RNA sequence: GGCCCCAUCGUCUAGGCAGGUCUAGGACACCGGGUUUUCAACCCGGCAACAGGGGUUCGAAUCCCCUUGGGGCUACCA
């Protein structure tokens, strides 16, 4: 049976690259009827954040990527947090030391750094100088008592070429002479990634490891460790990397950097107000602008909102908040580095599982194209069942704190219906928000006022509409349509000349759902009030 | 610098492993037109690629080599 896993380190929100890795492992497990497990690689005390695991779990759930074993679902191979498996790693480290396959080291970071520099100066690869005699456990205890850092390194004694058999790339050959004795146990008693991943994959019965190309160079180390420990070697597949428009792999730094650029390019930004909006001190903001400090995600979001700039989405939640559907994300991510046998591109999870096949993966890096993502989202909004869409819409509204969240499900369904052709949930929200704010809170877009409301005759048309609204027997989208069409015909103008002033009067902008639906949504009373307010504010007659 | 991976339209890719059926197919973007009460959506049409060089072969996008370009790694991070 095929067993795959996703093993994120909880350093923040799940980003799009991680989601893609998780997805491919999940697809392989689901396609083959195997198991998919989730393991949290929290062995770096400095980088982990306390809430990150919850964020990652929530993001995976939103995407519809479920796990058979792991946090919150349990399983026979737990615990699934590496920080809770310290004795297990300890056991194997001790075993390797006893067998003289690994040894204690007492170097300080400065000493290591010096050796590294020397090697660099000589244009040589840095290889840790293995001592002729390995220190005894006794010496390790002594060194520790004296306050020296104690680490353990694997003795790399292999002389034959190390061959990584990659499912995608074929045999990749490495020269063992270029692999130095690497650290497997850190001075804080935590295992390094190499040790933890090898031990856990063995103990958890992982058969297939799909990961990013950035791990290809680590794989010979893992092979070495597996041999030293007498473990099996899982099948490896190193996927291509997703790169960003700015070149280089897509990283979390993208958003802060885009924000910094936006702040620097914008003239006359009130930095004190900006810092306040982000909950930062002025000093922290200055450090950020100098490129020396990265504020956290909420602060970044707050600053972007304050400036009204749109930052590129990187984390899974960013896409949620921009109004993308999880179906879109899963579909689009699957197509980055993989393609189905047929012509069909738009697929739901089930269709992806059915079509998935490792042999159709491709090796080259790909660029994340947001325009194509938008097109995919438009398609999925059309395809996803209405009930599901309502659920997604609710999640979106709550995540963004929209006033539209006050609506019940029936209303949300209606809002979706009258916004046929929308590209994102955010667009639906933007178009409908006008009906969920107080009449006095309508902000009139100056551009729209100038172009529509202050045009010749606009005020007259609004007055006429207000009058006819009074005379309307029943107030529905249909009766409104009849009324407005008649009015357009009588006054010998296009429907646009009637609809546009009305649209701006009730929404403050030129963008809304179809005008009949928009008025119907707002209701008779509030429509009248807003028309009056608009006439008052903008007719200079 | 060293090691490793990769290379088809602007982008994601099909084709490559089994060389002729490829005057290279699709999707997105873009451009032009249509539809239209706004924004979208929708419909029709168009533009656009085998990185370069050398082999192998009757024949190369496809196989081999070199060059160039892009990417990754080079930690007591994962």
């Amino acid at each position: 049976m095929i067993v795959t896993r996703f093993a994120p380190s909880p350093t923040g929100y799940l980003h799009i690259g991680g989601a893609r890795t998780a997805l491919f492992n999940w697809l392989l497990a689901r396609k083959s009827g195997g198991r998919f497990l989730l393991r949290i690689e929290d062995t770096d005390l400095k980088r982990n954040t306390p809430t990150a695991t919850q964020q990652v779990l929530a993001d995976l759930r939103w995407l519809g990527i479920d796990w058979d074993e792991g946090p919150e679902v349990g399983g026979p191979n737990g615990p699934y947090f590496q920080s809770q498996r310290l004795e297990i790693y300890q056991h194997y480290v001790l075993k390797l030391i006893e067998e003289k396959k690994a040894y204690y080291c007492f170097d300080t970071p400065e000493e290591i750094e010096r050796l590294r520099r020397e090697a660099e100066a000589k244009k040589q690869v840095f290889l840790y100088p293995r001592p002729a005699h390995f220190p005894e456990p006794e010496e390790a205890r002594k060194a520790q008592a004296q306050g020296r850092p104690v680490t353990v390194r694997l003795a790399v004694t292999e002389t034959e070429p190390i061959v990584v058999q990659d499912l995608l790339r074929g045999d990749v050959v490495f020269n063992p002479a270029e692999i130095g004795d690497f650290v497997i146990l850190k001075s804080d008693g935590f295992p390094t990634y190499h040790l933890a991943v090898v031990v856990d994959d063995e103990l958890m019965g992982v058969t297939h490891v799909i990961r990013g190309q950035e791990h290809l160079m680590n794989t010979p180390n893992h092979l070495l460790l597996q041999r030293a420990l007498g473990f099996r070697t899982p099948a490896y597949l190193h996927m291509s990397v997703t790169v960003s428009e700015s070149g280089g792999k897509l990283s979390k730094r993208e958003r802060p950097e885009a924000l910094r650029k936006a702040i620097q390019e914008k003239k006359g930004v009130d930095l004190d107000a900006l810092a306040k909006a982000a909950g930062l001190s002025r000093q922290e903001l200055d450090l950020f602008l100098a490129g020396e400090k990265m504020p956290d995600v909420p602060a970044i979001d707050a600053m972007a909102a304050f400036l009204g700039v749109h930052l590129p989405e990187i984390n899974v939640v960013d896409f949620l908040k921009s109004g993308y559907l999880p179906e879109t994300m899963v579909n689009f991510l699957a197509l980055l580095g993989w393609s189905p046998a047929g012509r069909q591109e738009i697929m739901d999870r089930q269709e992806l599982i059915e079509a998935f096949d490792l042999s159709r993966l491709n090796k080259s890096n790909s660029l994340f194209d947001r325009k194509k993502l938008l097109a995919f989202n438009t398609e999925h909004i059309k395809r996803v069942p209405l009930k599901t869409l309502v659920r997604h819409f609710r999640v979106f509204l709550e995540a963004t704190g929209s006033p539209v969240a006050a609506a019940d499900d029936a209303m949300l369904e209606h809002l979706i219906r009258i916004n046929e052709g929308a590209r994102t949930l955010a667009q639906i929200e933007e178009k409908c928000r006008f009906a969920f704010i107080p009449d006095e809170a309508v902000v009139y877009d100056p551009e729209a006022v100038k172009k529509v409301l202050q045009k010749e005759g606009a005020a007259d048309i609004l007055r006429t509409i207000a009058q006819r609204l009074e005379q309307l027997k029943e107030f529905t989208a249909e009766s409104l349509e009849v009324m407005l069409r008649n009015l357009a015909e009588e006054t010998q103008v296009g429907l646009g000349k009637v609809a546009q002033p009305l649209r701006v009067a009730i929404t403050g902008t030129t963008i809304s759902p179809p005008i009949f639906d928009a008025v119907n949504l707002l209701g008779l009373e509030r429509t009248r009030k807003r028309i009056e307010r608009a006439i008052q504010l903008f007719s200079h007659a």
Side-chain angles (χ1 to χ4, degrees):
Chain A
M1 177 163 76
I2 288 182
V3 179
T4 65
R5 45 75 165 176
F6 177 54
S9 59
T11 56
Y13 289 94
L14 180 64
H15 62 97
I16 212 66
R20 190 173 75 118
T21 304
L23 177 64
F24 279 90
N25 281 288
W26 180 82
L27 283 171
L28 177 61
R30 292 291 171 262
K31 168 74 179 191
S32 64
R35 294 173 73 71
F36 172 69
L37 46 109
L38 182 61
R39 180 175 72 222
I40 306 299
E41 309 220 325
D42 53 349
T43 57
D44 185 0
L45 267 14
K46 290 182 285 296
R47 288 209 317 167
N48 295 341
T49 66
T51 51
T53 299
Q54 286 312 312
Q55 289 163 350
V56 169
L57 299 189
D59 291 339
L60 285 172
R61 288 203 171 102
W62 180 71
L63 289 169
I65 297 176
D66 56 340
W67 52 99
D68 306 307
E69 284 179 45
E72 295 184 1
V73 308
N77 302 302
Y80 295 92
F81 288 83
Q82 290 186 331
S83 60
Q84 294 169 21
R85 300 171 64 82
L86 261 31
E87 312 88 81
I88 299 172
Y89 308 123
Q90 208 90 43
H91 165 79
Y92 287 103
V93 169
L94 254 27
K95 184 166 173 267
L96 288 172
I97 291 174
E98 269 167 37
E99 294 170 359
K100 302 279 179 213
K101 290 174 179 168
Y103 57 92
Y104 292 108
C105 303
F106 313 120
D107 316 87
T108 63
E110 295 73 36
E111 285 163 345
I112 295 286
E113 189 51 37
R114 189 174 53 80
L115 290 173
R116 205 184 301 283
R117 270 189 224 287
E118 279 172 20
E120 208 174 304
K122 281 186 255 170
K123 290 190 193 289
Q124 284 172 345
V125 257
F126 168 68
L127 297 177
Y128 183 81
R130 184 182 315 146
H133 299 287
F134 293 171
E136 294 298 321
E138 193 55 34
E139 296 172 62
R141 269 190 289 275
K142 240 185 261 171
Q144 191 142 42
Q146 290 165 4
R148 288 191 71 84
V150 176
T151 60
V152 177
R153 286 177 188 264
L154 184 79
V156 178
T157 54
E158 187 69 60
T159 52
E160 294 296 305
I162 301 165
V163 182
V164 174
Q165 294 178 313
D166 188 285
L167 255 25
L168 221 209
R169 297 167 202 279
D171 290 356
V172 183
V173 183
F174 294 89
N175 180 1
E178 286 165 4
I179 302 173
D181 293 355
F182 55 93
V183 174
I184 57 174
L185 193 72
K186 300 187 268 189
S187 59
D188 61 4
F190 276 63
T192 59
Y193 163 71
H194 303 299
L195 203 240
V197 84
V198 163
V199 167
D200 288 346
D201 283 345
E202 166 72 18
L203 264 33
M204 294 178 182
V206 172
T207 62
H208 289 66
V209 175
I210 303 177
R211 43 162 50 154
Q213 192 204 198
E214 64 268 23
H215 285 296
L216 184 53
M217 301 296 281
N218 292 147
T219 311
N221 298 39
H222 298 173
L223 255 36
L224 253 14
L225 264 172
Q226 285 153 3
R227 286 177 199 168
L229 289 163
F231 289 170
R232 298 160 291 185
T233 292
Y236 286 106
L237 189 151
H238 292 91
M239 298 196 298
S240 58
V241 170
T242 305
V243 299
S244 74
E245 286 92 337
S246 51
K249 70 174 178 175
L250 218 52
S251 94
K252 295 182 185 200
R253 289 188 303 275
E254 205 110 342
R255 274 168 79 79
E257 276 162 9
L259 177 66
R260 182 190 300 136
K261 212 172 142 209
I263 296 172
Q264 286 161 351
E265 277 171 8
K266 244 184 166 125
K267 299 274 177 269
V269 175
D270 182 346
L271 292 178
D272 290 307
L274 180 65
K276 200 172 168 221
L280 298 173
S281 70
R282 181 57 204 271
Q283 193 188 5
E284 284 172 311
L285 178 62
D286 287 340
L287 282 171
F288 165 56
L289 290 176
E292 281 165 33
K293 194 173 171 267
M294 288 293 180
D296 58 10
V297 172
I300 298 286
D301 287 350
M303 284 190 272
F306 179 82
L307 296 170
V309 296
H310 181 81
L311 264 24
E313 300 88 352
I314 296 294
N315 296 313
V316 170
V317 276
D318 301 334
F319 291 95
L320 190 172
K321 289 183 184 170
S322 288
Y324 292 93
L325 264 34
E327 286 81 358
T328 304
M329 300 313 296
V330 163
N331 189 175
F332 190 73
L333 253 21
L335 259 34
L336 239 41
W338 173 81
S339 64
R343 278 279 161 82
Q344 192 185 353
E345 277 197 320
I346 302 295
M347 290 181 280
D348 62 26
R349 286 183 198 79
Q350 203 49 46
E351 290 169 312
L352 285 171
I353 290 169
E354 277 156 26
F356 192 68
D357 180 357
L358 281 187
S359 71
R360 296 195 62 85
L361 254 74
N362 76 20
K363 304 184 224 183
S364 41
N365 292 350
S366 49
L367 198 93
F368 192 91
D369 181 358
R370 290 185 165 75
K371 290 223 175 103
K372 185 150 184 169
L373 182 74
L374 229 206
F376 268 50
N377 206 50
T378 312
E379 289 305 315
H380 277 286
I381 286 182
K382 283 183 205 143
R383 254 175 76 114
V384 162
L386 194 54
K387 295 283 176 228
T388 311
L389 211 45
V390 168
R391 222 173 55 231
H392 292 330
F393 198 22
R394 170 127 277 141
V395 170
F396 164 80
L397 293 170
E398 273 157 19
T400 54
S402 164
V404 183
D408 63 14
D409 283 3
M411 175 54 81
L412 293 189
E413 203 174 304
H414 179 246
L415 297 184
I416 292 166
R417 276 222 182 82
I418 63 176
N419 277 288
E420 206 185 335
R423 312 205 76 181
T424 64
L425 296 176
Q427 283 184 353
I428 301 179
E429 193 273 348
E430 280 161 25
K431 283 193 196 172
C432 295
R433 185 170 37 205
F434 78 96
F436 294 84
I437 59 173
D439 298 328
E440 319 78 58
V442 174
V443 176
Y444 289 91
D445 170 25
E447 197 69 10
V449 169
K450 207 172 124 198
K451 258 170 46 189
V452 180
L453 286 188
Q454 294 180 329
K455 273 276 146 61
E456 186 74 40
D460 290 338
I461 286 184
L462 281 181
R463 283 191 194 97
T464 313
I465 292 172
Q467 276 169 20
R468 304 245 169 142
L469 240 24
E470 299 282 347
Q471 301 157 359
L472 220 52
K473 285 188 212 70
E474 46 156 14
F475 187 71
T476 63
E478 289 73 28
S479 63
L480 269 167
E481 176 161 2
V482 172
M483 185 271 272
L484 290 175
R485 282 195 193 284
N486 286 343
L487 180 59
E489 218 164 291
E490 286 168 33
T491 46
Q492 296 286 307
V493 294
L495 189 51
K497 285 276 188 291
V498 176
Q500 270 314 70
L502 178 55
R503 191 188 315 278
V504 177
I506 65 172
T507 69
T509 76
T510 56
I511 299 168
S512 85
I515 191 66
F516 318 117
D517 293 311
V519 173
N520 191 40
L521 188 61
L522 194 58
L524 186 57
E525 267 319 300
R526 301 177 69 197
T527 300
R528 216 156 28 203
K529 268 167 81 178
R530 290 190 188 188
I531 291 174
E532 270 167 34
R533 181 165 176 246
I535 293 172
Q536 259 185 3
L537 285 173
F538 304 110
S539 77
H540 308 299

